[in-house]
Amino acid sequence: MIPHVDIDEKELLLQLRNGDALAFESLYLRYADKLSAQLFRLLKSWNEVEEALQQLFVKVWENRENIDPGRSFQAYLYKIASNIAVDYYRKLSKDKELSKSLLRQISLLYHPDNLTAQIQADEELMRTIDKLPPQRKAVFKLCKLEGKSYAEVSRILSISEATIGDHIAKANRFIYNNYDKSIFMLSLIYATSLLD
């Protein structure tokens, strides 16, 4: 496997353009979590995020020969993510009733009366994160909550980027399986009740 710290991004992009699967994997590990967070903010569904992330990296692989190593790869990825989100909502908007309902629900998420429910959901998420093993929790908080790169976390914790990727994947699965979604659902039910 490519040592992530020793090869700079420009070199990885050049290797990717030549069809190097290991360079592709390395770039995936660098950006998957940041993109997941961005996609979740746009799509509000982890199931949709997983599908969109896969779609995004398929596009990267299919268009690898056109990638310009001299330009920001992160900006390129975020542009693709944004386009995928726009396409997702465009498909939803074909059903006008669904579109109206979606817009009402999104506006209610920011309604002051819904703030307490959102705070409860956030607190439950933090309690779930606190149940992670200490090293995994440290990795998760540094990457997901503080937005640090795998390289930065690797230096801080003196562990490899591959180990960081493994911790993040396992933390995501644990949180998904152990987060008390009923609190989040209560906030949605409360928001929906405001429509009546």
Side-chain angles (χ1 to χ4, degrees):
M1 187 166 183
I2 293 174
H4 303 294
V5 177
D6 297 334
I7 297 179
D8 73 2
E9 187 164 284
K10 188 172 183 179
E11 181 61 30
L12 285 172
L13 292 172
L14 289 169
Q15 291 173 10
L16 173 63
R17 284 179 57 147
N18 292 325
D20 188 319
L22 291 176
F24 176 77
E25 180 184 354
S26 182
L27 290 163
Y28 175 86
L29 289 172
R30 285 185 182 195
Y31 288 103
D33 291 322
K34 288 180 184 176
L35 289 165
S36 292
Q38 174 71 10
L39 285 164
F40 185 75
R41 282 193 288 277
L42 296 169
L43 302 174
K44 309 299 183 204
S45 161
W46 285 113
N47 289 336
E48 293 300 329
V49 168
E50 286 179 25
E51 192 173 315
L53 192 63
Q54 182 177 4
Q55 185 181 352
L56 186 154
F57 277 98
V58 166
K59 287 185 180 197
V60 168
W61 181 257
E62 289 174 345
N63 296 308
R64 66 189 177 276
E65 293 174 0
N66 300 321
I67 292 173
D68 181 355
R71 300 185 72 172
S72 169
F73 185 60
Q74 183 169 340
Y76 174 72
L77 293 174
Y78 277 75
K79 177 70 174 165
I80 296 172
S82 179
N83 289 340
I84 289 171
V86 167
D87 289 344
Y88 171 77
Y89 284 110
R90 199 172 278 146
K91 286 175 190 170
L92 286 181
S93 71
K94 289 179 182 175
D95 181 342
K96 290 186 179 183
E97 278 306 305
L98 179 60
S99 179
K100 286 179 188 175
S101 172
L102 179 64
L103 289 173
R104 282 194 307 259
Q105 288 181 11
I106 288 172
S107 69
L108 287 173
L109 288 175
Y110 299 99
H111 194 283
D113 292 341
N114 197 29
L115 187 58
T116 301
Q118 183 60 49
I119 289 169
Q120 288 175 334
D122 291 347
E123 287 173 349
E124 173 59 24
L125 179 59
M126 292 310 295
R127 279 192 293 274
T128 305
I129 291 168
D130 283 338
K131 293 176 186 173
L132 291 167
Q135 180 84 339
R136 189 160 299 149
K137 179 168 64 171
V139 168
F140 186 85
K141 284 185 171 183
L142 288 167
C143 289
K144 294 286 195 166
L145 303 181
E146 295 181 25
K148 295 191 183 310
S149 70
Y150 280 18
E152 290 172 307
V153 176
S154 176
R155 284 190 297 275
I156 292 168
L157 299 178
S158 299
I159 57 176
S160 73
E161 289 185 40
T163 301
I164 292 166
D166 183 60
H167 276 304
I168 292 295
K170 288 177 179 172
N172 284 338
R173 275 194 300 275
F174 178 85
I175 291 167
Y176 180 79
N177 291 327
N178 293 280
Y179 174 61
D180 183 358
K181 297 169 193 74
S182 64
I183 291 176
F184 180 70
M185 292 308 295
L186 285 173
S187 70
L188 286 180
I189 291 166
Y190 176 74
T192 305
S193 73
L194 293 175
L195 291 172
D196 298 335

